[in-house]
Amino acid sequence: MRHYDLIIVGASFAGLACARTAALRGLKVGVIERKRDAGEAVRTTGILVKEAAEETDFPSQLTRLIRGVRLYAPNGRFTDHSAPGYYFLATDTPNLLRWMAEEAARAGAALMFDTAFKGGVQGADGVRLPDLNISARLLIGADGPTSTVARAFGLDANQRFLAGVEFELAPDDDLDGRFLHCFLDSKLAPGYIAWAVPGVGVTQVGLAASLGKRPDARAFLDVFTTRLGLRAPRIVGRRSGLIPAGATLKRTFDGRVMLIGDAAGHVSPLTGGGIVQTLRLGRRTAQLAADWIKAGAEHPAQALARETPRFATKLWLRRALDLAPPNWVWNLAFGTTPFRAFAQRLYFHRRGDAVGALPDAAPTVSERTTDERA
Ligand SMILES: Cc1cc2nc3c(=O)[nH]c(=O)nc-3n(C[C@H](O)[C@H](O)[C@H](O)COP(=O)(O)OP(=O)(O)OC[C@H]3O[C@@H](n4cnc5c(N)ncnc54)[C@H](O)[C@@H]3O)c2cc1C
């Protein structure tokens, strides 16, 4: 039986960030991933907020800088939002994850693809996975929203979700590349939004809805192309997945098993953004695990719990959004100052205050209708 300090289940954002740092800190790390490679069948739009871009130095050719957000009401009016110095990165997500896998391997982690975690046995000194003939002092479940590790060891499992679906389209130059385009529409995306991202080599168009409500990406694609007057889209790929929407789970560890990333509910229940936390807490888990194994520090999961956001306010706002206000309410609210201030805070929380066009934008108009596009 091969023995590791850490076995990490899942080679995505959380698992790979954790694996790289743990290996760099001298731990013997094994990563098991059921996919054949880290970039296969990606289940995310992959947008990085600036804070996520600051967590890891990603190769710039795998990203595309986006400065602002254009937010559309159901009736086609829109407002532009930005903040000085702030940006988002659209990503070539499959290749970004492949790059993260290479970095983890270069640091010394053993990556085992095409290998699924099915169950394990916990003892006082660690965990054994008899079917894979491997064992570790600590098993880390970074295996996403419907974690098998959580189920196998009786830990908390995510119960509330948003369901997301997205088409990758051949790139459309007519889509204004300075913005993430976000659409409020409770008929198409009840409880969430629809989006169009001028991505890296593709345009990504998708939407999500509170679970129990079906997001219809085809219907949105029709509305989106008509509304923005774009060419008939050519679909080149599809992504879909569940987004945990119940905030950080309570029981995320037991003895020698712990959860991180989506598996632990480390996702904003309001925005559905999880990558920033998965990168930050994945890396932090590795540091804490190294301190625990090498220097007898406290259990990494106990230490991590103190540094993990609980998302209490965002959970309340999520409950309000789950009510899916009818479109006329969005239309009515849209032009008001409080609503604009709320949108600005949502996208650019504590990051400056600039509702309106970007400095290099065409006319400085903060609110227009779709027909009035420059
Ligand atoms: C449609 C959609 C769009 C999103 N867009 C964004 C966005 O733009 N920005 C943002 O910040 N967040 C976004 N999110 C959320 C973000 O993608 C997640 O928070 C993030 O991917 C979580 O990373 P993770 O490593 O915890 O889990 P995951 O990315 O879910 O990875 C889990 C990994 O574990 C593997 N795995 C699962 N079970 C097993 C098993 N039994 N054995 C072995 N391997 C296993 C999976 O194959 C996978 O590779 C989006 C989510 C969805 C669904």
Side-chain angles (χ1 to χ4, degrees):
M1 181 161 288
R2 195 165 172 75
H3 184 74
Y4 295 92
D5 291 317
L6 305 183
I7 291 175
I8 299 167
V9 183
S12 182
F13 292 101
L16 292 172
C18 184
R20 176 174 183 268
T21 297
L24 284 174
R25 287 182 175 243
L27 299 189
K28 193 169 172 194
V29 181
V31 181
I32 60 177
E33 166 58 56
R34 67 181 170 196
K35 295 191 295 193
R36 282 167 303 177
D37 89 83
E40 185 184 274
V42 161
R43 292 179 172 272
T44 180
T45 308
I47 294 168
L48 307 179
V49 293
K50 187 183 180 196
E51 292 78 358
E54 287 166 350
E55 269 301 321
T56 309
D57 298 316
F58 293 110
S60 63
Q61 69 272 20
L62 299 179
T63 67
R64 183 181 187 290
L65 193 129
I66 298 178
R67 288 286 316 281
V69 171
R70 179 163 284 177
L71 183 63
Y72 298 77
N75 62 10
R77 282 156 72 197
F78 61 82
T79 50
D80 293 344
H81 300 259
S82 62
Y86 198 79
Y87 58 83
F88 303 88
L89 294 182
T91 62
D92 173 351
T93 322
N95 282 322
L96 193 87
L97 286 168
R98 288 184 186 116
W99 176 83
M100 286 185 73
E102 281 163 20
E103 288 291 299
R106 201 199 321 273
L111 269 58
M112 295 165 257
F113 288 105
D114 214 359
T115 306
F117 168 85
K118 295 194 178 114
V121 183
Q122 183 171 190
D125 298 335
V127 176
R128 285 181 297 118
L129 310 188
D131 59 324
L132 301 177
N133 205 26
I134 53 178
S135 64
R137 293 196 209 194
L138 184 68
L139 179 79
I140 298 180
D143 54 339
T146 56
S147 168
T148 313
V149 174
R151 265 182 283 128
F153 291 96
L155 300 175
D156 278 357
N158 294 300
Q159 303 292 337
R160 301 175 55 174
F161 298 95
L162 298 165
V165 53
E166 175 176 288
F167 288 122
E168 294 171 13
L169 309 177
D172 192 321
D173 296 338
D174 290 340
L175 185 69
D176 193 328
R178 295 167 302 169
F179 298 102
L180 295 179
H181 299 261
C182 298
F183 301 81
L184 293 165
D185 193 318
S186 289
K187 281 194 189 138
L188 289 167
Y192 197 66
I193 55 163
W195 61 86
V197 181
V200 183
V202 286
T203 294
Q204 295 163 255
V205 173
L207 73 174
S210 302
L211 204 63
K213 296 158 192 156
R214 189 172 148 266
D216 186 342
R218 275 274 173 198
F220 173 59
L221 203 52
D222 291 345
V223 169
F224 161 77
T225 43
T226 311
R227 192 178 284 173
L228 298 190
L230 302 177
R231 285 177 278 130
R234 187 163 62 81
I235 297 170
V236 295
R238 192 177 186 278
R239 307 178 185 186
S240 64
L242 294 176
I243 307 171
T248 303
L249 300 172
K250 290 205 167 64
R251 212 173 106 78
T252 56
F253 73 99
D254 177 35
R256 298 306 183 101
V257 183
M258 67 181 284
L259 306 175
I260 59 171
D262 272 20
H266 293 160
V267 187
S268 162
L270 181 61
T271 65
I275 298 174
V276 63
Q277 296 300 343
T278 61
L279 292 176
R280 185 176 76 80
L281 296 174
R283 181 164 158 259
R284 187 72 186 122
T285 299
Q287 294 170 345
L288 295 166
D291 291 350
W292 175 63
I293 288 172
K294 292 186 154 200
E298 87 181 299
H299 193 293
Q302 272 161 348
L304 191 76
R306 286 195 298 276
E307 301 178 21
T308 303
R310 299 276 140 204
F311 302 114
T313 309
K314 288 180 174 165
L315 201 50
W316 279 107
L317 289 168
R318 159 68 20 227
R319 287 188 182 126
L321 273 186
D322 279 346
L323 299 173
N327 280 348
W328 66 265
V329 174
W330 285 133
N331 287 333
L332 209 61
F334 198 77
T336 64
T337 308
F339 183 82
R340 271 188 231 175
F342 174 73
Q344 181 71 18
R345 271 191 76 76
L346 185 63
Y347 288 106
F348 300 99
H349 183 53
R350 279 189 255 113
R351 299 161 189 157
D353 195 15
V355 184
L358 290 168
D360 55 347
T364 307
V365 182
S366 61
E367 187 192 340
R368 285 177 286 169
T369 65
T370 318
D371 295 339
E372 291 171 308
R373 281 182 316 138

